[in-house]
Amino acid sequence: MDTLAVPGARLYFEVHGAGPLLLLIPGGASDAEVFRDLADELAARHRVVTYDPRGISRSLLDGPPPEPWLTTQADDATRLLDHLTGAGEEPVQLFGSCAGGLVALELAVRDPRRVRLAVAHELPAMGLLPDAARYAAFFDEVYATYRREGVPAAMDRLGAIFGGRPAPQLPEATDNSRFFLSHVMLPSSRCAPDVTALAAVADRIVLAGGRESRTHDVHRPVAVLARRLGREPVEFPGGHVGYAKHPAAFAAQLANILAG
């Protein structure tokens, strides 16, 4: 466990195991805790790095919130990798879930020589969808609900994209729902990754989703992006948060993909 000073924040991170470096990038309101069981499963083969994104849990801000969101998150991840590997001297692999998947893809585009493989799991890039405007209006409504009625009402409304169920409950060092609703939900859901740029590094990208969330709205962007890149999305055990609910089975499949 350690912290890294970056402009405007201190990033909390943990390192598990030894071997090729694997960075696990959380999304939404999640922090390093969400990957604890998955990291334990993977640590026998990898040097697994988990961290709290800035403003989340133990990664405290000493400046403004992350804006622009994706650029700031990718900059932070790059600084963390530089700190651990020495400015790109060691190739790395990435797994990003939800909004973390957007960060993983951004890193793969930025520095394909460094990133051996980036696995993006159910990234919330609603901006890719043909009905993107409808989803933008939905997330605006969730945000308005948060400002008008508070966190619980907004999180309940957000369940619509998870098949009408409540947003998944996950282990966290701190409840980050307020920060997520204020600073993460809108910019991450409006993202529309550059398909042309991703096509240039498609051999270093795996797009993935949950077997149990195939019919959920949150699964749609990864299916659309895979189709536009001429790829088949990989199915992982569980739903949107299968890595936390089924860590052993999820880790076994992820390890096979990383080894390939």
Side-chain angles (χ1 to χ4, degrees):
M1 303 176 190
D2 205 346
T3 59
L4 174 68
V6 297
R10 293 192 68 86
L11 298 181
Y12 172 89
F13 68 93
E14 300 179 6
V15 181
H16 309 251
L21 193 145
L22 169 62
L23 179 66
L24 304 182
I25 309 173
S30 294
D31 56 33
E33 297 300 317
V34 79
F35 290 134
R36 186 165 299 282
D37 291 343
L38 182 67
D40 287 344
E41 293 286 343
L42 293 165
R45 305 186 195 182
H46 297 272
R47 183 186 180 202
V48 184
V49 179
T50 60
Y51 72 107
D52 300 352
R54 71 165 63 203
I56 296 289
S57 293
R58 297 153 294 198
S59 287
L60 303 178
L61 296 175
D62 54 29
E67 294 177 2
W69 178 82
L70 182 56
T71 298
T72 304
Q73 296 297 335
D75 287 347
D76 283 349
T78 298
R79 292 184 183 105
L80 180 56
L81 290 172
D82 286 348
H83 175 70
L84 293 168
T85 67
E89 295 177 4
E90 177 185 347
V92 301
Q93 295 172 303
L94 314 170
F95 172 81
S97 171
C98 194
L102 294 166
V103 180
L105 294 184
E106 176 69 12
L107 293 174
V109 168
R110 279 189 180 194
D111 196 352
R113 293 173 299 175
R114 164 182 266 186
V115 177
R116 284 184 52 210
L117 192 69
V119 182
H121 184 265
E122 292 198 348
L123 59 163
M126 301 302 188
L128 286 171
L129 302 181
D131 49 351
R134 178 169 70 88
Y135 284 101
F138 167 77
F139 285 107
D140 283 343
E141 179 188 343
V142 173
Y143 181 75
T145 300
Y146 157 61
R147 295 301 300 265
R148 184 177 61 248
E149 302 176 38
V151 170
M155 296 304 289
D156 183 64
R157 183 72 187 89
L158 191 63
I161 66 167
F162 300 105
R165 302 170 183 171
Q169 295 296 308
L170 294 169
E172 297 173 350
T174 306
D175 182 355
N176 302 295
S177 299
R178 188 174 300 278
F179 188 87
F180 162 72
L181 291 166
S182 297
H183 303 294
V184 180
M185 179 184 68
L186 292 181
S188 63
S189 63
R190 280 164 163 69
C191 278
D194 185 333
V195 178
T196 301
L198 289 173
V201 295
D203 60 329
R204 298 171 184 264
I205 290 171
V206 173
L207 300 169
R211 189 170 299 125
E212 296 173 10
S213 51
R214 284 178 296 180
T215 60
H216 298 176
D217 288 2
V218 74
H219 185 94
R220 288 185 63 200
V222 79
V224 168
L225 182 57
R227 185 162 58 248
R228 292 183 66 180
L229 292 175
R231 309 289 290 277
E232 285 293 325
V234 174
E235 278 194 351
F236 273 86
H240 186 63
V241 294
Y243 51 87
K245 304 295 186 182
H246 309 283
F250 201 101
Q253 183 164 353
L254 181 57
N256 286 337
I257 291 171
L258 298 174

